[in-house]
Amino acid sequence: MLLYASGEDYLEAILVLKKQTGAVRSVDLARYMGYSKPSISHAVAMLKKGGFLDTDEDGCLLLTDSGQEIAEKIYERHCFYKNQLVTAGIDPQIADKEACQMEHIISDETFQKIKKHLCQRNKEDSHHQA
């Protein structure tokens, strides 16, 4: 099943909420994302159908292995881009919003090369300052 940016956003939000609270219900996701409960229910059903999400007997949302992998990938990108933008002087709220857009449009290959380049550059900069 093809996963669009909105599906990735749901998975990322579930991952973030799980890290914060330990358990995530649909109502928590709706509150966090600012979406209606029917929208969340529809998205959850689609993500379950795609094999990215499951629910336990208490109704808590659980990422499957593939859902967890995608959520972690998107969250890593989000944090990376937000950090780079804030470091460049962008307001944190704007950086957060723009990082959310960037995380979806950059290919894995491009992301890895950007990350590698910036890490090497940071090492070189810190070496020259020492």
Side-chain angles (χ1 to χ4, degrees), residues 51-118:
F52 302 106
L53 193 60
D54 232 333
T55 51
D56 67 13
E57 61 276 355
D58 296 325
C60 291
L61 304 175
L62 306 170
L63 296 168
T64 63
D65 289 343
S66 61
Q68 181 81 24
E69 183 179 325
I70 291 166
E72 288 176 2
K73 178 185 85 168
I74 295 300
Y75 184 62
E76 176 192 16
R77 288 175 175 216
H78 184 97
C79 292
F80 176 83
Y81 290 127
K82 181 179 179 183
N83 183 42
Q84 295 303 313
L85 293 170
V86 169
T87 300
I90 307 299
D91 176 88
Q93 286 185 314
I94 294 170
D96 190 56
K97 181 180 177 185
E98 292 181 353
C100 192
Q101 295 167 336
M102 295 168 72
E103 69 196 27
H104 301 292
I105 61 171
I106 303 294
S107 70
D108 286 336
E109 180 182 359
T110 300
F111 174 68
Q112 293 303 324
K113 287 183 178 184
I114 289 171
K115 191 168 88 168
K116 181 179 176 184
H117 172 75
L118 289 174

Side-chain angles (χ1 to χ4, degrees), residues 23-68:
V24 183
R25 296 176 168 272
S26 292
V27 66
D28 304 319
L29 190 59
R31 193 176 309 116
Y32 179 81
M33 296 186 79
Y35 296 157
S36 69
K37 290 178 190 174
S39 293
I40 296 294
S41 294
H42 177 71
V44 165
M46 296 304 292
L47 291 168
K48 285 173 78 171
K49 183 178 176 183
F52 302 106
L53 193 60
D54 232 333
T55 51
D56 67 13
E57 61 276 355
D58 296 325
C60 291
L61 304 175
L62 306 170
L63 296 168
T64 63
D65 289 343
S66 61
Q68 181 81 24

